[in-house]
Amino acid sequence: MTTSKEAPQINAEGASETHPESSTADGQKTAKIRFELLAPYNEKAALVGSFSDWQEIPMTMGERGTYWAEVDLPDGEHEYKFCTVSKSFFAKDEWVTFADPFARQINEKDGENAVIRIKDGKRIVDEYVWQHDDVSLPGDDRLIIYELHVSAFGGDGYIEAIENLDYLHDLGINCVQLMPVTEYPGDQGWGYNPRHPFAPESSYGKPEELKQFIDECHARGMRVILDLVLNHSESENPLTRIDFTYWFYQPGTEPDEPGNIWGPKFNLEFYDENHQRNPAREFLYELVEYWAREYHIDGYRIDAARQIKYFDFIGEVAKRSKETAGFKPFYIVAEHIPENPAITGGDGPADGAYHETYYWMIDDLLVRNMFSADQIVDAIDPIHDGYPGPSNAVNFYENHDKPRLLQRLRDAGINEEGSFKRLECAAALLMTSVGLPMLYQGQALAQAYPQDEDVHEVDWSLLDKDKPHALLERYRGLIALRRETHALWTANCDFFHVDEERHVLAFVRYNDEGSRVVVVAHLGDGYLGEYTVPCIPTDGEWHEWTRNYDVNVDGAILKVELSDWDVHIFRND
């Protein structure tokens, strides 16, 4: 078990070192706690807090442009803010008040104050004791990812979400990808507008409750990837109040298209010669180290990697995160749209990237009835698209940014029976393709609604409906197949039969130890009856995994009955 103690951080909120103890008037023991604020070009600064009846405590300019003040504080929780003469264009020379940019916790409901906790004369984040750090977690090449929004998945917050983790475990998921959980304004949002990036979203619960959620994921053998926004921040991020252009581009000068500006954009180019620092990079490097260290995160999804642009920055993020994580695996996946496989592998900064081509293949094939053998082959085997290996491409056809597949099928006028056949077909392709499969919350239950930016709770009532329940069982079996079959972890994929006229293709996944999986897919409407598949790699007995029957292959010929949107999966063990 490990406890949650925080090491001192340069330019972070109140330092954790102790000073000679003293006592308050009522006899409580206190210790001097140091507060720091990076504001190198601001004229003066002050600290205000519950411990001073919100009266200003002057701060002293120290090394490298950091103001500091020391306060005698007893154990417990205290709230505070900083004040300074702003250098930002919208409040120049005004005396402004704001929360600590490095605040570990925010009281958003009552003044948006930073919260500091003191115990035994030291600053702590919380008193959570980790229970499951010794549980073995899956390697990068074996991940089956499930993207979720905390309140949508749990119905409220971190603790409520824990109650549904057994559903994921029973489904076979071994990696949870959390949509952003850093503090954002309001209570119901996707989280891509972070205001206080070091603090967990308070409407979901306290820091120790988020840690408990992560710990419970680990207890079930599931890694946790955190969706982290490093490209931009929210308009009232405390850094914007201090000296806007010290950390961000002046509005209107961002090197992005107007439609790709989602808030103040971190300026990764600016270097402060006087203090020998790149302020934005230092802030963000400390951020990724903090979440990996304090919350035992197992990877990051890098939002808007194309807009971040600097591969050297993403590479440093990966390096520092992995060094902080230590011996355990740590996976960096980049959202780069349009996709760019060069961001992954030995020459790229990330371990993986969203395989956007896969989404469009499924959309064209299942929604638009466009059968293109080349498109399907390239999507199922992303090595054709330039990805170096199987763990470098994350395949998906639903995520928070994309419309639900069932909704797309309905909008295309496809009836319910036909839609569910296509959903089962899509699931079979996803779990047998080269690359890491990713599901979005509710996907295995065929949840559907028009695409918008609202937070839609997972509709757990679908568990009691026949077609969604059958789809869920299909996913459960396919995920079990993927987890148990080494051939599906490799880059080996050979397409040995393509029938463009009848929309049938067959491919084999294999490894060097003799494990083989043959997939025969009819990707179209209509009943084909008994269909002859030539060139099966090995004669002998094969077991069809999803329908649980055996077939004997002789002379490399396999005969299989194919209906519409029908996928059969054979294993030779």
Side-chain angles (χ1 to χ4, degrees):
M1 296 187 296
T2 57
T3 58
S4 177
K5 302 277 188 180
E6 186 174 7
Q9 295 295 303
I10 298 173
N11 297 330
E13 64 168 322
S16 57
E17 64 266 26
T18 55
H19 292 260
E21 290 185 346
S22 57
S23 299
T24 61
D26 60 3
Q28 283 186 291
K29 288 185 177 181
T30 65
K32 284 192 181 298
I33 302 298
R34 186 181 180 95
F35 292 81
E36 295 183 347
L37 172 67
L38 178 63
Y41 299 105
N42 296 66
E43 185 179 325
K44 59 181 179 178
L47 169 69
V48 297
S50 55
F51 41 77
S52 68
D53 292 326
W54 298 98
Q55 299 302 302
E56 292 177 7
I57 300 172
M59 301 183 76
T60 302
M61 175 62 82
E63 295 181 359
R64 300 189 72 207
T66 300
Y67 283 97
W68 64 273
E70 290 183 342
V71 182
D72 288 319
L73 291 182
D75 285 2
E77 287 192 8
H78 310 274
E79 297 188 9
Y80 70 101
K81 283 185 173 178
F82 292 125
C83 311
T84 192
V85 178
S86 177
K87 290 187 65 63
S88 299
F89 62 91
F90 58 85
K92 193 168 180 61
D93 298 328
E94 295 180 15
W95 189 245
V96 294
T97 304
F98 48 90
D100 187 342
F102 292 87
R104 279 27 176 172
Q105 185 177 349
I106 292 290
N107 180 356
E108 188 182 42
K109 297 296 186 186
D110 187 15
E112 204 163 308
N113 301 321
V115 178
I116 183 173
R117 298 188 191 184
I118 307 297
K119 182 181 181 183
D120 298 331
K122 296 181 179 181
R123 180 172 69 98
I124 63 170
V125 176
D126 53 63
E127 298 184 64
Y128 187 77
V129 179
W130 293 89
Q131 302 294 321
H132 304 292
D133 279 349
D134 58 344
V135 174
S136 178
L137 298 174
D140 293 348
D141 60 338
R142 304 181 188 185
L143 297 182
I144 299 168
I145 304 169
Y146 189 97
E147 182 188 22
L148 66 83
H149 182 284
V150 166
S151 68
F153 182 73
D156 196 357
Y158 306 122
I159 296 300
E160 292 75 16
I162 291 173
E163 297 174 6
N164 291 326
L165 288 180
D166 285 342
Y167 162 81
L168 296 183
H169 182 260
D170 292 343
L171 183 57
I173 299 298
N174 61 18
C175 180
V176 169
Q177 180 177 295
L178 289 176
M179 290 175 67
V181 297
T182 54
E183 187 76 59
Y184 59 82
D187 294 342
Q188 284 292 318
W190 284 5
Y192 293 95
N193 54 339
R195 181 177 289 178
H196 303 284
F198 284 82
E201 171 57 33
S202 54
S203 68
Y204 303 158
K206 293 184 176 182
E208 55 266 40
E209 293 172 339
L210 173 56
K211 289 178 178 179
Q212 185 180 349
F213 173 86
I214 295 168
D215 210 9
E216 290 294 336
C217 287
H218 290 163
R220 293 162 175 80
M222 294 187 288
R223 287 171 61 177
V224 179
I225 292 174
L226 177 62
D227 198 335
L228 206 58
V229 182
L230 304 179
N231 172 68
H232 61 276
S233 192
E234 195 268 341
S235 61
E236 294 187 35
N237 177 306
L239 298 175
T240 69
R241 311 284 291 170
I242 303 168
D243 187 350
F244 192 100
T245 55
Y246 195 64
W247 288 275
F248 304 102
Y249 284 98
Q250 178 80 17
T253 68
E254 303 95 339
D256 295 321
E257 304 88 344
N260 289 331
I261 297 172
W262 302 288
K265 180 181 177 70
F266 284 105
N267 187 344
L268 303 179
E269 298 175 293
F270 173 68
Y271 186 79
D272 181 356
E273 294 284 355
N274 294 330
H275 296 96
Q276 298 184 349
R277 69 159 58 92
N278 185 307
R281 292 190 181 223
E282 281 192 8
F283 181 81
L284 296 172
Y285 292 153
E286 185 167 336
L287 177 68
V288 300
E289 291 172 346
Y290 174 74
W291 279 93
R293 179 182 65 252
E294 188 64 34
Y295 286 89
H296 297 203
I297 294 295
D298 308 297
Y300 292 130
R301 172 194 182 266
I302 307 298
D303 182 65
R306 175 174 174 261
Q307 284 69 38
I308 290 174
K309 188 171 68 174
Y310 292 100
F311 279 17
D312 69 308
F313 167 74
I314 298 174
E316 187 67 17
V317 164
K319 175 177 175 291
R320 288 172 179 247
S321 301
K322 292 176 180 182
E323 288 176 350
T324 303
F327 65 90
K328 70 176 185 176
F330 200 94
Y331 187 71
I332 301 287
V333 57
E335 181 216 30
H336 193 292
I337 302 174
E339 66 182 307
N340 179 10
I343 201 171
T344 70
D347 296 328
D351 300 305
Y354 275 16
H355 188 199
E356 188 84 0
T357 297
Y358 199 92
Y359 168 84
W360 290 112
M361 180 274 288
I362 292 292
D363 194 67
D364 286 343
L365 176 64
L366 297 174
V367 180
R368 295 177 173 82
N369 289 320
M370 296 168 55
F371 182 94
S372 167
D374 289 342
Q375 182 190 28
I376 296 167
V377 167
D378 290 348
I380 288 176
D381 186 356
I383 310 302
H384 293 198
D385 283 334
Y387 289 89
S391 64
N392 302 126
V394 175
N395 299 324
F396 66 95
Y397 50 83
E398 290 190 17
N399 67 25
H400 70 272
D401 274 329
K402 304 296 187 186
R404 294 289 196 175
L405 180 52
L406 179 55
Q407 187 67 44
R408 286 177 269 159
L409 294 169
R410 287 173 174 171
D411 292 344
I414 300 169
N415 65 32
E416 205 75 350
E417 183 178 355
S419 292
F420 272 86
K421 284 185 177 180
R422 294 172 194 234
L423 291 178
E424 290 196 6
C425 172
L429 293 179
L430 181 66
M431 290 301 159
T432 55
S433 294
V434 177
L436 304 181
M438 182 177 75
L439 285 69
Y440 184 44
Q441 59 185 14
Q443 178 176 325
L445 294 171
Q447 188 161 356
Y449 45 76
Q451 178 69 6
D452 54 33
E453 294 188 6
D454 292 341
V455 175
H456 296 270
E457 291 189 8
V458 174
D459 184 359
W460 297 108
S461 70
L462 293 170
L463 285 166
D464 299 322
K465 297 183 178 180
D466 290 343
K467 283 186 170 61
H469 183 77
L471 179 65
L472 177 65
E473 290 303 312
R474 176 79 159 169
Y475 267 107
R476 184 177 285 118
L478 289 165
I479 291 172
L481 169 69
R482 186 173 183 94
R483 291 185 60 157
E484 296 172 12
T485 309
H486 294 196
L488 295 176
W489 306 344
T490 73
N492 301 327
C493 181
D494 291 340
F495 286 81
F496 59 86
H497 178 72
V498 176
D499 181 345
E500 298 207 40
E501 180 180 351
R502 288 183 286 183
H503 295 183
V504 178
L505 58 79
F507 59 93
V508 59
R509 302 289 314 280
Y510 59 95
N511 69 0
D512 295 336
E513 286 72 44
S515 173
R516 281 173 170 73
V517 173
V518 165
V519 180
V520 179
H522 175 213
L523 305 177
D525 292 319
Y527 176 72
L528 297 185
E530 187 176 77
Y531 186 92
T532 300
V533 184
C535 305
I536 298 296
T538 307
D539 283 354
E541 189 172 275
W542 291 74
H543 180 74
E544 205 290 329
W545 181 269
T546 60
R547 292 167 178 81
N548 193 29
Y549 68 88
D550 294 326
V551 62
N552 190 65
V553 172
D554 185 28
I557 297 296
L558 169 67
K559 293 185 182 296
V560 57
E561 184 177 354
L562 294 177
S563 60
D564 50 336
W565 302 101
D566 199 5
V567 181
H568 292 245
I569 303 170
F570 300 91
R571 209 167 72 171
N572 70 339
D573 55 356

